[in-house]
Amino acid sequence: MKIANLFKIVIIYFLVILTLVILIFPYYWVFISSFKSTIEIATEEPRLIPRTFTLKHYEDLFGLTYKFHHYALNSLIVSIPVTIISIFISTLAAYGLARGRIKGKRAFSNAVLLSYLTEPSMLVVPLFFIILLFGLYNNLLGLILTYPIITIPFCIWMLREFFVSIPIEIEEAALVDGANRLHVLTKIVLPLAAPGIFTAGIWSFVTAWNEYILALAFIAGLENWTLPLGLASYVAVYDIDWGLVSAACFLYGLPALIVFAPLTKYFVKGLTLGAVKR
Amino acid sequence: MTKINYDYLLIMPAILWIAIFLIFPFFYVIINSFIYKNNVTLNNYITVFQTPRFYSSLYRTFLWTIGNVIFQLGLGLGLAILLNQNFKGVSAVRSLMLIPWLSSNVIVALQWKWIFHGTCGIATKLLMDLGITSSPISFFAPNVALLSCIIVNVWRWTPFTALVFLAGLQVIPQHLYESALIDGASVFQRFLKITLPLLKPIIAVWALITFIRTFNGFEIVWILTGGGPGEATLLLPIHMYTTTFLLGRFNEGSAISVLMTLMSTIFMILYVRMAQRSEQ
Amino acid sequence: MSGEKPKGKISPSLIVAVVVIIVLLAALVYYATLPPKVEVVPTTVAIPTTIVTTAVPSTTVITMPTTVTTVAVTPTTPTPEKKEIIFWHCETPPLRVQRVEAVIRSFEREYPWIKIKQVPIGWDAIYSKLDEAIKTGTQPDVIQTIPALALYLYHAEQLLEVDDLVKEIDGKYHYAKEQLKMHYWDGHYWSVPTEAITLFLSYRENYIKEYAGYDRPPETWDELLDMVKKCTRDIDGDGKIDIWGINVPITRSLATDEWFWQQLAVNNGEVFLDTQVVLDSPQAVEALKFYLELRKYCPPGSENWGWAEQNLAFASGKIAFNFNFGGALATIAEYGELAKYVKGCPVPIPKGGRRVALSFGYGMGILKKAEERGTVDAVKTFIRYIMDPANYGYWLNRQPGLFLPITEEGEKSPSFWADPVVMKFRPIIELCINETREHAGLWGFMGKETSKMVYLIESTHYLAEAVAKAATGEMTPEQAIKWAAEQFRLEMLKH
């Protein structure tokens, strides 16, 4: 029995390590490639431990050719307002769905659910016409207005679960004490749901930060490119430097990871809620 | 005194936003797909259906989608079971599973494009070192390009899938396993008779979500191969994007987009039916 | 589940995250607000003598000799009206944009009543941007063209004919004849030729000597194939192939269109001749078969490669041969040691073939919009300024080695030869200039008449698609060529 247990433990650890290696290796590879000199990358055998070390790629990223900071700023200009809009709209709607006396709540809930399934590539042509109609082609404002469509459904869904799980007695007590709905919402419910709102906000930010196809279709010039577009351009036309591309990938992915790190536990738990409720 | 129901105000912003930026555009594109040179006509759809590339890309998209779903679900389930075990550091490992999901499609595609690089890439070197091949191989040769793309997409989504399934696993009451153990059931029997049936709703729903997501997937394949070489990885969304934005045929592109959405909607309706049934 | 943490307790990881974010934001704002490096106009640029008489040495961009404004250069009126020119071009790499900016600034110093605003637009966006501009009446005054773009604008009735200016510059500096014809159709010149980019074959001298046994570059298809074959080999004895002969692209892109057309042209084939599609010919099939033969000796993973990857592979010594324009020289120069062995030669031709080097004639197209805005003279002044050998070289070297002079006098421009990359690869550049002068050819301009629909090649990429179809085995070479010819004919009917 003990040997069987030991065997089981060994297998488990082996599989876990294998999984971690498969998962982490691409990041490791990109990370060290970003410090290898171009000569080593292009002319020598790929090595797991780099032979050379250079910060040149990171330097070049912030130069005029690659303008990483410029694109990052554009991405921020888009992502932050999108986050604010998403949180605002989703919180209100989620609370309305959770507690409001609204006819057709169920229909609206289902509609939100369906919207969650829309992939950006389904939306690119329809939204493109809207962009043209409002004269927002090649304008970051166009992105700010269209990204919430992608983020809102999920946020409403998640926040609704949060609101529903707050014991209704607290709210009813406040209502009895004479507060109106808005008061209840802002003074009592919101602080309790803060983790959920925070998570929704971070998720919206990450989604906007990562979005590619809509930006690809709606933004023309280099000036208004967001980071994903800029990044994809580093492997395009005239010159290619894989060390630099690696550095760009690393820097681009870092904020999303950092910003999300404190929330991973919540998110995993949130999935439990959501998935089970299905 | 009649109380005005202010609750409707709460959902008004959401409704407005969805109406302006989702419903309206969809109607616009549907109408646009029936317009060709200022006449209302089925011309665009005829053109779409007469393009051989539409069918070949549709076929390829199904291959791509089914391959993805099978691998993501299968590996995801296995990974979920692994993550359900109690070992030291298990919660850290679970958190690490989120990393591929957090990464943008662009990053994932670029990482793997670099790893799969024909002459400077690490993947071909590892394969040679392990003795699996004797000369550098191309991951983007016409007959393997689609498979390479599937590998990348599976890598990206399997961990998240595992977390979803893990949530489902954790809700299964422990005592079911215990009584099965007492009755002498083997590992396989416990899996087949207890785990699978209880997970079925989640697996089914997630399979559908994955299907729709993969069917409409564009970014990863676009950055990895751009649809090439030739048409080896030309999926339907890529065909739609090329027609609309690179060839400038907006009306034809609208038709393709409508068709894509129609197909996805059919899958969605199935999804809602299934979700309703599992809630009962 | 409500908040798991008791209210009021903030997790440490949250604090760390917030701090890191603030630091990143600060760094970002710092970098974004750094003033752009202002390019200094080097003293080797000979400033036209009319300013030098009162000159302050022009090593800084900012200080302007105050006497400039009183020196009349070529105005026909004593105090010329202020003009603003909008100048579109498609060279978006930042170094090129910077150089254009520097040239504009030194031009504006000489002609202070003229202001030029450059608008760089990527090649893949230019056609749709032009469409938009024409619809909304916001066209530029002048645009840098290649023949296809000029034809496109000509069709849209946007261009002014420029016969006078062309004749004037020809009289002063003597154009290469082969270059002039790329700007001429329907009895007039529609863009002013300014420069050209020309394709040639670069090769590694040491590879072909050591591995193929040749002391000289290939001159025929057979020789090229032989050398390419022999250069695909294992060079460090570990049993794996380390270098390959060549790379020829098969992606659906301009690169493939160009590379394949080059082989087609030297084999006496063409896509459009006068008003017909003549692609389906035995010469085209032969050319495609040759192209596919070369594909056998291309590196793995190259099915997806475009210019950038290809140039990288050549520069880093992974392939022995590379067709390229001079723009690749800058990348090659980065690999110091390896660059020593890089040489250039004309494109090899098959038995019975003709000497043709794919060459894009760049020019300046003056739009009717300029007439409306009264800026035609100002634009012509700018064009004259660029073509002046004193400034020509500096203008050409926006991308050293890529843009080649096309006038006799321009070839002597000292600022051209003074560039480090040009100096380093002088023999190659001289070869390119020669090819440009004597053997330049471009799709659509090989017949008696200009094929005015030739921009279809670049907008539809059917040629590249045919190559890809044959390369992936989807069709035989014969079928692929036939298919492409059919597609071109269908497109022509639509217009």
Side-chain angles (χ1 to χ4, degrees), chain A residues 138-203:
Chain A
N138 200 26
N139 193 331
L140 289 178
L141 187 61
L143 294 183
I144 296 178
L145 292 178
T146 50
Y147 279 4
I149 291 299
I150 308 173
T151 58
I152 286 178
F154 180 77
C155 290
I156 292 183
W157 176 55
M158 193 179 78
L159 285 174
R160 180 177 162 275
E161 308 289 336
F162 257 94
F163 287 135
V164 159
S165 68
I166 295 175
I168 198 164
E169 292 77 26
I170 302 181
E171 296 175 53
E172 289 182 344
L175 280 174
V176 164
D177 284 347
N180 71 15
R181 261 256 188 271
L182 202 59
H183 241 167
V184 174
L185 176 61
T186 50
K187 290 278 164 40
I188 299 180
V189 176
L190 279 189
L192 283 179
I197 295 177
F198 196 55
T199 310
I202 298 288
W203 189 86

Side-chain angles (χ1 to χ4, degrees), chain C residues 226-439:
Chain C
D226 187 42
M227 293 192 213
V228 158
K229 225 184 283 194
K230 296 202 174 119
C231 286
T232 305
R233 54 167 53 219
D234 165 26
I235 57 175
D236 54 9
D238 60 356
K240 306 182 207 124
I241 301 183
D242 305 291
I243 60 171
W244 290 264
I246 192 171
N247 186 59
V248 284
I250 58 170
T251 51
R252 189 184 165 276
S253 64
L254 191 55
T256 311
D257 293 321
E258 292 172 346
W259 268 230
F260 175 61
W261 185 89
Q262 174 68 79
Q263 314 310 322
L264 178 63
V266 294
N267 198 33
N268 301 309
E270 239 294 32
V271 181
F272 292 94
L273 206 57
D274 302 335
T275 51
Q276 302 295 338
V277 172
V278 297
L279 179 59
D280 36 5
S281 63
Q283 290 93 337
V285 177
E286 272 168 26
L288 186 49
K289 286 191 177 153
F290 174 64
Y291 201 87
L292 295 178
E293 266 303 302
L294 291 177
R295 273 302 304 169
K296 292 191 191 149
Y297 307 102
C298 295
S302 62
E303 298 87 355
N304 275 335
W305 285 6
W307 287 306
E309 284 279 17
Q310 187 172 295
N311 291 342
L312 177 65
F314 181 73
S316 58
K318 289 256 156 66
I319 56 181
F321 287 91
N322 193 34
F323 290 102
N324 48 239
F325 295 104
L329 292 174
T331 316
I332 295 173
E334 278 176 30
Y335 293 79
E337 268 307 295
L338 295 167
K340 284 203 303 233
Y341 301 105
V342 172
K343 297 276 181 293
C345 69
V347 174
I349 59 180
K351 266 195 278 287
R354 56 181 170 174
R355 281 282 291 270
V356 174
L358 175 64
S359 179
F360 284 92
Y362 276 63
M364 293 289 188
I366 309 183
L367 284 86
K368 290 188 179 151
K369 190 78 182 170
E371 214 171 34
E372 261 177 57
R373 300 178 70 219
T375 50
V376 176
D377 283 326
V379 169
K380 288 190 176 172
T381 311
F382 181 56
I383 299 177
R384 283 191 199 100
Y385 180 82
I386 290 176
M387 296 306 288
D388 185 336
N391 310 313
Y392 196 38
Y394 195 59
W395 165 260
L396 288 177
N397 286 331
R398 321 192 283 295
Q399 183 73 44
L402 177 63
F403 298 109
L404 303 161
I406 54 174
T407 62
E408 235 177 80
E409 297 302 313
E411 280 176 34
K412 304 180 191 151
S413 170
S415 50
F416 180 71
W417 298 106
D419 183 280
V421 174
V422 173
M423 279 197 285
K424 188 175 171 109
F425 293 104
R426 184 155 188 146
I428 295 184
I429 307 277
E430 284 174 343
L431 162 79
C432 289
I433 295 181
N434 197 49
E435 291 295 291
T436 307
R437 206 189 315 119
E438 312 281 323
H439 302 117

Side-chain angles (χ1 to χ4, degrees), chain A residues 8 12-13 15-16 19-20 22-27 29-30 33 41-42 45-46 48 85 89 92-93 95-97 99-103 106 108 110 113-119 121-130 133-134 144-146 148-149 152 156 181 185 203 206 210-213 216-217 228 231-232 235 242 245-246 249 252-253 256-257 260 264-265 267-268 271-272 275-278, chain B residues 3 5 7-11 13-15 17-18 20-22 24-26 28-29 32 79 82 85 87-88 91 93-108 110-115 117 119-122 125-126 155 159-160 163-164 167-168 170-171 202 205 209 212-213 216-219 222-223 237 240-241 244-245 250 253-254 257 260-261 264 268 271-272 275-276 278-279:
Chain A
K8 185 175 169 204
I12 289 180
Y13 273 110
L15 287 177
V16 167
T19 308
L20 284 180
I22 296 178
L23 230 58
I24 307 289
F25 179 71
Y27 297 95
W29 185 244
V30 159
S33 296
I41 291 180
E45 286 256 298
L48 288 176
I85 295 176
I89 295 185
L92 290 179
Y95 186 66
L97 284 182
R99 298 286 186 239
R101 288 149 296 145
I102 298 174
K103 278 212 267 284
R106 190 179 176 75
F108 186 60
N110 282 341
L113 223 57
L114 283 181
S115 320
Y116 175 47
L117 289 182
T118 54
E119 272 287 299
S121 59
M122 258 193 261
L123 298 171
V124 68
V125 177
L127 287 177
F128 185 66
F129 289 123
I130 294 299
L133 208 64
F134 291 170
I144 296 178
L145 292 178
T146 50
I149 291 299
I152 286 178
I156 292 183
R181 261 256 188 271
L185 176 61
W203 189 86
V206 171
N210 287 345
E211 208 287 323
Y212 178 66
I213 184 175
L216 182 65
L231 214 57
V235 291
W242 282 106
V245 172
S246 303
C249 284
Y252 172 54
L257 286 180
F260 214 86
T264 49
K265 278 234 191 68
F267 215 82
V268 175
L271 277 177
T272 314
V276 171
K277 273 293 172 79
R278 299 284 99 250
Chain B
K3 263 180 40 163
N5 192 351
D7 289 351
Y8 282 97
L9 275 183
L10 290 172
I11 59 171
I15 293 185
W17 211 275
I18 293 182
I20 300 178
F21 291 105
L22 195 61
F24 177 55
F26 268 117
Y28 198 98
V29 80
N32 211 30
L79 190 54
L82 183 64
Q85 309 302 317
F87 53 89
K88 252 211 294 201
S91 67
V93 174
R94 287 180 193 159
S95 297
L96 284 178
M97 294 294 121
L98 280 176
I99 295 186
W101 175 75
L102 274 180
S103 311
S104 159
N105 278 323
V106 176
I107 291 192
V108 172
L110 287 179
Q111 277 177 338
W112 283 94
K113 196 168 177 157
W114 173 219
I115 292 178
H117 195 270
T119 52
C120 312
I122 186 78
K125 172 160 191 298
L126 280 178
W155 177 90
F160 191 70
L163 286 180
V164 170
Q170 292 189 320
V171 188
I202 296 185
V205 162
I209 293 183
I212 295 177
R213 188 196 329 116
N216 289 296
F218 170 86
E219 299 174 9
W222 179 250
I223 294 182
M240 178 200 72
Y241 178 79
T244 318
F245 296 100
F250 288 109
S254 306
S257 182
M260 268 176 60
T261 310
S264 301
M268 276 190 225
Y271 162 73
V272 169
Q276 287 179 338
S278 72
E279 254 176 56

